[in-house]
């Protein structure tokens, strides 16, 4: 039985910040952001959006009445959870109007958990081939204003349908997982912004990639020439480059050149949106598929990483006509609204966060189909517009 990613969709906020403008305001050489980090634009989050609204918006782009009938499970992977008990998947299932006979769960392991969700979903479909699993990776990356990590913020959600006979990517059986107890990045329960040891985290990321890829080669006997492209978790696009170059080193043959070219294609959307945490690898995959000329039957390698730390390398085979089963991201990004640095700072500080008070937001100017209206009696209030 072939099982894999049947459809994919991406959603982000309507507002973005130009990082050249941020660099000027912070007194930093813009090249440090655009070349050194590899980012150009960054999604800015209004208080009327969170992981529930973004996740529901992405999922809505996938669904038809016929597909909804087959969804047995909704898994939301996030490290930006809005409740320590109730799963965000329940809110999203309600906003989408899915059947009450639906399993809903939330998963966490930093930026890695969407990959675990896909593997778990594959198991569900293997046992029940008639079922489809909706996997949503939704996050808001926050490091604080005027901090070293400010340039690697971002927000968005990637929604995927996992089913038999997929239209985009058939998942191969061999996967390699690797985990260690490492403090390279974490967010305590009392904090709304993450804590990170950036240089250490980058080194761990590269180590985990090399460990998982080497083990994969040992198990399968495959070489780099067997891959049309390698995709990476990219909290910032330079991270993916560091991972690939850690493998290629000084190699500059035809295979290495091809992998570098495809890496560039996979970076394009992340450069315009920023860090998605759990969704970063899958935005990278969508960017590759929409900005390259890969053919059906091509093998793609995927490296997933989550600080703390866990990594996984796995592979998939492209299906014929895959390009017709995703939303056109570049076209949607063209219609966003640019905000000034001052507006960005105001919006950043207006998030609901860990407030316990009642609050009502003005949702009039938010064009997304789902919004967070505020909080009343300690309960978040969502609305389908």
């Amino acid at each position: 039985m072939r099982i894999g990613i049947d459809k994919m969709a991406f959603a982000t906020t309507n507002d973005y910040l130009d990082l050249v403008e941020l660099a000027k305001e912070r007194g930093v050489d813009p090249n440090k952001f655009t070349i050194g980090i590899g980012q150009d634009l960054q999604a800015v989050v209004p208080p009327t959006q969170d992981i529930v609204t973004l996740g529901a918006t992405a999922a809505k782009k996938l669904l038809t009445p016929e597909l909804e009938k087959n969804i047995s499970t909704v898994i939301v992977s996030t490290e930006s959870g809005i409740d320590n008990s109730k799963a965000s998947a329940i809110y999203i299932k309600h906003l989408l109007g899915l059947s009450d006979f639906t399993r809903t769960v939330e998963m966490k392991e930093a930026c890695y958990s969407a990959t675990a969700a896909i593997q778990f979903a594959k198991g569900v479909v293997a046992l029940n081939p008639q079922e489809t699993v909706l996997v949503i990776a939704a996050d808001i990356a926050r490091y604080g204003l005027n901090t070293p990590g400010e340039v690697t913020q971002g927000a968005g959600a990637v929604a995927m349908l996992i089913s038999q006979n997929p239209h985009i990517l058939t998942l191969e059986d061999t996967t390699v997982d690797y985990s260690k107890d490492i403090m390279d990045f974490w967010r305590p329960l009392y904090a709304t912004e993450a804590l990170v040891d950036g240089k250490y985290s980058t080194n761990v990321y590269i180590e985990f990639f090399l460990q998982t890829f080497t083990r994969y080669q040992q198990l399968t006997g495959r070489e780099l020439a067997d891959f049309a492209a390698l995709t990476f978790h990219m909290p910032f696009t330079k991270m993916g480059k560091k991972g690939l170059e850690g493998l290629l080193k000084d190699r500059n043959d035809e295979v290495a050149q091809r992998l570098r070219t495809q890496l560039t294609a996979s970076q394009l959307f992340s450069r315009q949106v920023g860090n998605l945490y759990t969704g970063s690898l899958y935005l990278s995959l969508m960017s590759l598929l929409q900005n390259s000329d890969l053919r059906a039957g091509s093998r793609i390698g995927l490296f997933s990483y989550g600080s703390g730390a866990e990594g996984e390398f796995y592979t998939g085979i492209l299906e014929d006509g895959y390009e017709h089963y995703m939303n056109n991201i570049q076209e949607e990004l063209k219609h966003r609204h640019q905000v000034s640095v001052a507006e960005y700072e105001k919006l950043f500080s207006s998030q609901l966060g860990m407030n316990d008070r009642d609050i009502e937001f003005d949702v009039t100017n938010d064009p997304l189909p789902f919004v967070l209206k505020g909080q009343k009696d300690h309960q978040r209030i969502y609305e389908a517009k």
Side-chain angles (χ1 to χ4, degrees):
M1 183 192 309
R2 294 187 301 107
I3 301 173
I5 302 174
D6 184 56
K7 295 179 72 176
M8 303 181 78
F10 169 70
T12 188
T13 63
N14 189 55
D15 298 324
Y16 73 90
L17 175 67
D18 188 323
L19 294 180
V20 171
E21 297 300 315
L22 180 65
K24 292 176 180 177
E25 182 68 24
R26 300 292 187 247
V28 174
D29 180 353
N31 288 336
K32 182 178 179 180
F33 291 174
T34 59
I35 299 175
I37 300 295
Q39 297 300 126
D40 296 322
L41 309 175
Q42 184 178 104
V44 174
V45 185
T48 50
Q49 292 295 318
D50 66 6
I51 61 164
V52 168
T53 58
L54 291 171
T57 297
K60 182 179 174 67
K61 299 177 183 182
L62 298 177
L63 300 181
T64 64
E66 189 61 32
L67 285 173
E68 289 175 9
K69 295 177 183 177
N70 297 326
I71 293 177
S72 68
T73 304
V74 178
I75 308 175
V76 174
S77 297
T78 186
E79 55 182 283
S80 311
I82 59 165
D83 191 284
N84 287 329
S85 176
K86 186 174 179 179
S88 52
I90 293 180
Y91 292 101
I92 292 176
K93 171 239 155 185
H94 174 73
L95 287 173
L96 295 174
L98 298 178
S99 167
D100 286 346
F101 293 99
T102 303
R103 181 186 298 112
T104 53
V105 292
E106 181 174 311
M107 296 182 60
K108 179 179 70 178
E109 197 334 86
C111 303
Y112 162 75
S113 62
T115 297
I118 288 172
Q119 299 297 350
F120 295 165
K122 182 181 177 183
V124 170
V125 176
L127 289 171
N128 304 282
Q130 75 282 4
E131 296 183 5
T132 296
V133 179
L134 171 59
V135 172
I136 300 171
D139 268 302
I140 297 172
R142 287 173 62 96
Y143 294 98
L145 300 176
N146 205 9
T147 63
E150 184 177 30
V151 69
T152 61
Q153 298 179 140
V158 176
M160 297 169 276
L161 294 179
I162 309 301
S163 72
Q164 67 169 328
N165 302 321
H167 286 100
I168 295 179
L169 194 72
T170 293
L171 301 180
E172 295 189 289
D173 289 336
T174 302
T175 70
V176 178
D177 303 280
Y178 189 75
S179 61
K180 286 185 175 181
D181 186 0
I182 291 174
M183 297 301 289
D184 61 328
F185 171 107
W186 67 104
R187 182 169 68 84
L189 289 176
Y190 52 77
T192 56
E193 282 79 48
L195 303 172
V196 61
D197 184 339
K199 186 174 182 179
Y200 178 47
S201 189
T202 298
N203 291 337
V204 173
Y205 172 101
I206 296 170
E207 176 200 346
F208 275 47
F209 170 56
L210 296 178
Q211 289 279 2
T212 55
F213 186 77
T214 299
R215 178 64 173 162
Y216 175 86
Q217 288 185 302
Q218 293 170 346
L219 293 173
T220 63
R222 292 182 181 131
E223 301 294 335
L224 277 176
D226 295 315
F227 293 90
L230 297 177
T231 54
F232 292 82
H233 165 58
M234 287 193 286
F236 55 94
T237 64
K238 194 66 172 288
M239 185 78 99
K241 179 178 174 60
K242 288 177 181 290
L244 181 61
E245 294 304 327
L247 178 66
L248 297 179
K249 301 186 186 304
D250 296 327
R251 184 170 170 174
N252 201 33
D253 56 15
E254 181 181 346
V255 171
Q257 290 176 14
R258 181 183 75 241
L259 293 177
R260 289 185 176 107
T261 297
Q262 302 295 18
L263 176 71
T264 299
S266 74
Q267 293 172 321
L268 294 177
F269 293 156
S270 294
R271 291 189 71 98
Q272 299 177 64
V273 177
N275 193 351
L276 301 189
Y277 287 160
T278 52
S280 291
L281 169 59
Y282 299 99
L283 180 60
S284 163
L285 175 61
M286 294 183 75
S287 184
L288 171 71
L289 298 184
Q290 295 188 19
N291 293 291
S292 67
D293 56 356
L294 292 175
R295 297 179 179 178
S298 296
R299 174 176 288 111
I300 297 175
L302 299 96
F303 174 61
S304 180
Y305 176 79
S307 294
E310 186 157 2
E312 181 170 340
F313 184 83
Y314 70 109
T315 58
I317 304 297
L318 271 183
E319 294 294 331
D320 187 39
Y322 65 85
E323 64 273 16
H324 302 301
Y325 294 88
M326 298 173 283
N327 64 309
N328 187 327
I329 295 177
Q330 189 58 61
E331 185 61 31
E332 292 183 7
L333 292 178
K334 291 179 182 178
H335 301 290
R336 293 183 298 170
H337 167 249
Q338 182 177 348
V339 298
S340 67
V341 174
E343 290 172 316
Y344 144 71
E345 292 177 338
K346 181 178 180 181
L347 290 170
F348 186 93
S349 301
S350 299
Q351 298 293 304
L352 182 57
M354 293 187 175
N355 277 316
D356 61 359
R357 59 190 174 87
D358 291 351
I359 188 169
E360 184 174 355
F361 296 128
D362 181 1
V363 301
T364 307
N365 296 320
D366 192 324
L368 295 189
F370 303 102
V371 292
L372 172 62
K373 293 188 66 177
Q375 180 172 269
K376 185 175 178 58
D377 297 330
H378 307 285
Q379 300 176 44
R380 290 192 176 216
I381 310 299
Y382 294 100
E383 180 179 272
K385 296 182 72 175

